[in-house]
Amino acid sequence: MGQWIRRGVRAVLAGVAAIGLAVTNIPLLAVAVVALILIPVPFLGMALVPWAMALVRARVNLERRLASRTGVPVARPYHPRPERAVPGGWRRFRWIVTDPATWRDLAWLVPGAIIGIALGAISLAIPLYGLAGLTLTPLWIWLGTGWYGYGATWSIDTFGEGLLCLPQGAAILAGGLWLAPWLRRVDASFARLLLAPTRAAELRLRVTQLTVTRADTVDAQAAELRRIERDLHDGIQARLVSLGMMIGLADELIDRNPTAAHEMLAEARESSGTALVELRHLVRGIHPPVLAERGLGGAVRALALSLPIPITVDADLPGRLDTPVESAAYFAVAETLTNLVRHSRAHSGSVALRYADGTLTMVVTDDGAGGADPAAGTGLRGIERRLAAFDGTMALSSPSGGPTVITMELPCALSSPKTMHSFATD
């Protein structure tokens, strides 16, 4: 009940904010029209139009974010800004005026203002009318004027009818709080009708995203190959060369100094064991055997057990993922846990793995100091790039003082039935 009331109150307040924001649409439209009229004026029009449209886009993007909060996501449809598009320049001006989304933004301003004000007013008026009845305001007015009414008791003729304002007000207030979130969704749906990308814009955005993710994937693969080559050259290759030299020296000493030869062979045996361990670590970095054997949930549990702080793993995966997706998911979680251990100053953490509706959701939390910033390093950016190659996303919540919550989502399909039961690991 409490949550239902809070949701209604928040929707009413959002309706009031929508009225205030909708009022700004008309001045923004006026500024944009004036800027368009001044296009023939040399230099002035070319500078004013992008500036005015930037204001309009800021307002429209705010409307998109508010719509997303109501569960109606509205993507941004704009063309990517060209290189060397400086303020006041021809490239920037052409980028703005040739983008169909610019004109769709302008087309939304007036109807968006009308709908926003109307729905916001309804969101506010119904609860206020309910509050009036709940506080018996109509009764006090009737006692002073002798003529007034409320709801179904219009007009009030007796004191008893005036008291009926109380239950009616409670019912109207409850109805207003119930209706307000739906009105916010209607407002958001109308905004999506005009502000969401068209089919052509969606295809263009998709191509742009694929271009970026392909470049990131190529860079990531190249970096991984360089790391493997470096590890092979500086580690295992050098150790194998040393191993060959030690065996050669032992072969030379076997007749003249058998004791030294045996010591050399023992050292060679130890060196071969070290090389084998390094080779296993290298293979584990490419595709961990535990991931191939036990799947994502088992591999993450095994990883959690090797960490110096307690990590709770709760996995609910009804089957196995495709190998590339499974590997990307595992290394994304592994990188996140590594950052948790190194930088979060946490005493404990948790990992939740869920698969539903074609999406793998991975949530990593900790009780550390918070303040994680993707711009402060390459770790979180690397996770984003790794997930983006599979159309995955990452969301970070890390206020100062904690806790930190990292939510990663990967759209994917299951390739085989589940082979292991899920359980929690401390």
Side-chain angles (χ1 to χ4, degrees), residues 44-68:
L44 183 60
M46 193 175 297
L48 281 180
V49 169
W51 174 76
M53 295 307 170
L55 293 178
V56 173
R57 288 190 176 185
R59 166 69 185 99
V60 172
N61 285 331
L62 177 59
E63 188 71 18
R64 291 190 177 99
R65 287 197 294 273
L66 294 175
S68 298

Side-chain angles (χ1 to χ4, degrees), residues 300 311 332-334 336-338 340 349-353 361-366 395-397 403-408:
V300 172
I311 302 293
V333 174
T336 306
L337 291 177
T338 301
L340 185 156
S350 66
V351 179
L353 305 174
T361 303
M362 302 165 286
V363 181
V364 181
T365 61
D366 66 61
L396 170 67
S397 173
T404 295
V405 180
I406 299 177
T407 304
M408 298 170 283

